[in-house]
Amino acid sequence: MRLIRLYNKDINNEKDLFYITDDSYHYLSKVLKVQIGQELIIFNNTGSEFYCEIIKIDNKKCEIKVNHTKFVPPNPYTSQITFSICKSNSADILIQKITELGVDIIQPIISENSIYTEKNINEKNKLSHWNKIIISAAEQSERSYLPSLKNIIPFSQSLDFKYDQKIILDTNSGDMISKKLNHKAKSFNILIGPEGDFTQEEYRLANKADFLSSSLGDNILKVETAAIAALSYLKITMNSKNE
């Protein structure tokens, strides 16, 4: 039976006892209806996993005892998905699924054909909402590290990041991503356009900034589908090198 996994940024190695309150308390006590003696794993985004048990439950908090800890080293490869903000439901699916797949960095951007502009998007609310999705997806997929969710930036600023390999998905490219992937690289940035696609000028600027144009096939994919497909291929390919 799988143990319950929870993210808690406050847990550390300094204390054997601590308390779970607020949303996590409600989830444990009201949704899962845990009992005293229930075992669970708590992670804090440092690589440490805390193997715990519940020793007390009242109407506001759960008291947790830490029995032992384990350190999980980070992945040797760094993957970033840079995506032009799309419709809310699509963005939510994208964030959830690439977190489950193991993305390291999520960079939302606003491009020429994005449905949002810097003026009509509530960045604070968006990032708060996405962070909740990230935590839930990380707990479900048994990650030990949360992906880093970056602030929303314009397309032009997204071209400056330094990675071993940078790929822009382009349905007009004659080369599949399998041809362009550099198997010696340690860090990757995959750039994905909006529903209305990048403009020709944006493609030109990306190529000038060393992004290689590549395709995922003949079909026109939605933003979230393209992100899932590209990251899945990257993860399968790079992980197979270590087998």
Side-chain angles (χ1 to χ4, degrees), residues 157-175:
Q157 293 180 17
S158 71
L159 304 180
D160 298 332
F161 300 118
K162 304 299 181 183
Y163 281 85
D164 293 343
Q165 183 167 44
K166 299 188 289 186
I167 292 174
I168 183 170
L169 297 184
D170 181 358
T171 55
N172 293 316
S173 172
D175 293 324

Side-chain angles (χ1 to χ4, degrees), residues 49-60:
E49 294 190 338
F50 299 81
Y51 288 74
C52 311
E53 66 175 303
I54 298 173
I55 60 174
K56 186 178 180 180
I57 305 171
D58 60 27
N59 59 0
K60 290 186 177 180

Side-chain angles (χ1 to χ4, degrees), residues 13-182:
N13 292 303
E14 297 178 0
K15 296 181 179 180
D16 292 333
L17 298 176
F18 76 103
Y19 299 96
I20 290 180
T21 59
D22 302 328
D23 291 344
S24 293
Y25 161 77
H26 181 271
Y27 176 65
L28 287 175
S29 64
K30 308 302 182 183
V31 178
L32 297 182
K33 300 185 184 300
V34 296
Q35 303 293 321
I36 292 174
Q38 172 74 53
E39 296 181 336
L40 65 158
I41 300 173
I42 300 177
F43 65 103
N44 62 358
N45 203 32
T46 66
S48 293
E49 294 190 338
F50 299 81
Y51 288 74
C52 311
E53 66 175 303
I54 298 173
I55 60 174
K56 186 178 180 180
I57 305 171
D58 60 27
N59 59 0
K60 290 186 177 180
K61 63 183 180 299
C62 293
E63 187 172 355
I64 307 295
K65 177 184 177 183
V66 179
N67 292 323
H68 66 276
T69 63
K70 181 179 77 172
F71 179 75
V72 179
N75 193 300
Y77 302 102
T78 300
S79 57
Q80 173 171 315
I81 292 293
T82 302
F83 75 100
S84 185
I85 300 177
C86 47
K87 296 175 182 177
S88 295
N89 288 344
S90 296
D92 290 355
I93 293 172
L94 185 153
I95 296 288
Q96 178 189 40
K97 297 307 178 185
I98 64 175
T99 297
E100 291 176 6
L101 287 167
V103 72
D104 299 294
I105 302 169
I106 302 172
Q107 176 62 72
I109 65 171
I110 294 175
S111 59
E112 186 69 27
N113 291 328
S114 296
I115 62 172
Y116 294 102
T117 67
E118 293 178 70
K119 292 182 179 180
N120 69 9
I121 188 170
N122 189 320
E123 181 176 14
K124 182 179 179 181
N125 287 350
K126 278 288 183 187
L127 295 180
S128 176
H129 174 66
W130 288 339
N131 267 311
K132 291 178 181 179
I133 293 174
I134 285 171
I135 290 171
S136 178
E139 291 172 343
Q140 182 276 325
S141 57
E142 299 192 358
R143 291 187 60 159
S144 299
Y145 298 87
L146 299 177
S148 174
L149 176 63
K150 301 299 185 180
N151 291 334
I152 300 169
I153 59 174
F155 169 85
S156 59
Q157 293 180 17
S158 71
L159 304 180
D160 298 332
F161 300 118
K162 304 299 181 183
Y163 281 85
D164 293 343
Q165 183 167 44
K166 299 188 289 186
I167 292 174
I168 183 170
L169 297 184
D170 181 358
T171 55
N172 293 316
S173 172
D175 293 324
M176 292 287 289
I177 192 171
S178 56
K179 286 187 176 181
K180 293 294 182 72
L181 194 64
N182 178 3

